[in-house]
Amino acid sequence: MTDATFSPNAAQPHPQHIPRLFVKQRITAMVNRYEIRTANPDGSEGEIIAMAQQKRLAFKEQVTFYADEARTQPVFSFKARQRMDIAATYDVLDADGTPIGSFQKDFKASLLRSSFHFSGPGFEAYGQERNHAIAIIRRFVDLPFSFHFDFTDKQSGEVVLSSERQFSLRDRYTVDVRDQRIDYRLAAAMAVGLDALLQR
């Protein structure tokens, strides 16, 4: 998907680009529910633009995001290509089922430091936990650590997306979409995918 002649400085903003998102998890008995919100000009949480629900212990992930809490209007989704594969690739699809990007956990690298491949039209990126020490501690201590993920462009080395988990019992993330090429739907799917896959 990478365009070898692409220059980030010359990029046209993606029409679905949103520079900052907030992701909040609602804990229920059988499913994980997520809210995707925009950011207000003052940095506070804005309106809900999508809601998602993921069944716990699902081997073949298929998470659909809706525009409303009644889940009547699908907006986008992500789905694993392979069943029961710890290194499965997840395709992100628009409301009509057309692929708009993908992500994949780098299983080998994630043994010590959670790592992901992340791609969309015009870019390919690689994401890792920013703090290596916390990454190792998390594997032995079950506490609600605050931690960061930075995704860098494989060509330029520039950070294109960051996801920061807040220190709280409920999962809350601030997602900064620094690269204007990135569709907010793709960024939101990656943020929720991080939360879901880090629980395994």
Side-chain angles (χ1 to χ4, degrees):
M1 292 186 183
T2 301
D3 182 353
T5 64
F6 179 80
S7 172
N9 295 328
Q12 293 297 317
H14 191 286
Q16 296 272 32
H17 174 261
I18 297 177
R20 172 169 283 186
L21 302 168
F22 296 105
V23 177
K24 300 171 67 176
Q25 183 187 31
R26 294 181 179 179
I27 301 173
T28 65
M30 298 300 296
V31 298
N32 294 329
R33 293 183 178 179
Y34 298 92
E35 292 180 357
I36 313 299
R37 293 177 176 268
T38 58
N40 291 321
D42 63 0
S44 62
E45 293 183 3
E47 65 178 346
I48 295 176
I49 55 173
M51 301 190 70
Q53 180 168 297
Q54 176 240 350
K55 293 182 179 180
R56 292 184 177 179
L57 303 178
F59 290 113
K60 188 175 179 65
E61 301 287 0
Q62 183 170 357
V63 180
T64 301
F65 296 75
Y66 296 89
D68 57 330
E69 191 164 3
R71 303 201 299 277
T72 60
Q73 183 181 347
V75 182
F76 59 100
S77 63
F78 67 80
K79 182 179 180 180
R81 293 180 191 173
Q82 305 90 1
R83 185 178 178 84
M84 298 179 66
D85 186 345
I86 55 179
T89 297
Y90 292 78
D91 291 310
V92 183
L93 314 169
D94 67 13
D96 296 323
T98 302
I100 58 175
S102 65
F103 60 90
Q104 179 187 30
K105 189 173 185 177
D106 185 338
F107 178 72
K108 184 177 179 180
S110 294
L111 293 175
L112 291 178
R113 186 179 184 185
S114 294
S115 306
F116 291 83
H117 300 278
F118 176 52
S119 62
F123 77 93
E124 291 186 3
Y126 190 73
Q128 288 187 311
E129 291 180 77
R130 186 184 301 171
N131 191 312
H132 201 173
I134 290 179
I136 294 174
I137 294 171
R138 283 199 313 105
R139 282 146 177 78
F140 301 99
V141 181
D142 187 17
L143 290 175
F145 285 106
S146 173
F147 57 87
H148 304 70
F149 271 86
D150 291 320
F151 290 82
T152 58
D153 186 281
K154 291 182 180 180
Q155 286 191 334
S156 69
E158 296 181 358
V159 175
V160 297
L161 181 145
S162 294
S163 181
E164 178 181 352
R165 185 182 190 276
Q166 307 302 320
F167 187 85
S168 66
L169 295 177
R170 179 176 297 181
D171 292 342
R172 298 162 60 94
Y173 298 87
T174 300
V175 182
D176 287 314
V177 191
R178 304 184 188 184
D179 195 313
Q180 295 184 342
R181 294 173 292 177
I182 300 178
D183 186 330
Y184 90 87
R185 298 170 296 180
L186 186 55
M190 182 72 258
V192 171
L194 280 173
D195 184 86
L197 294 172
L198 286 177
Q199 294 179 29
R200 297 183 174 178

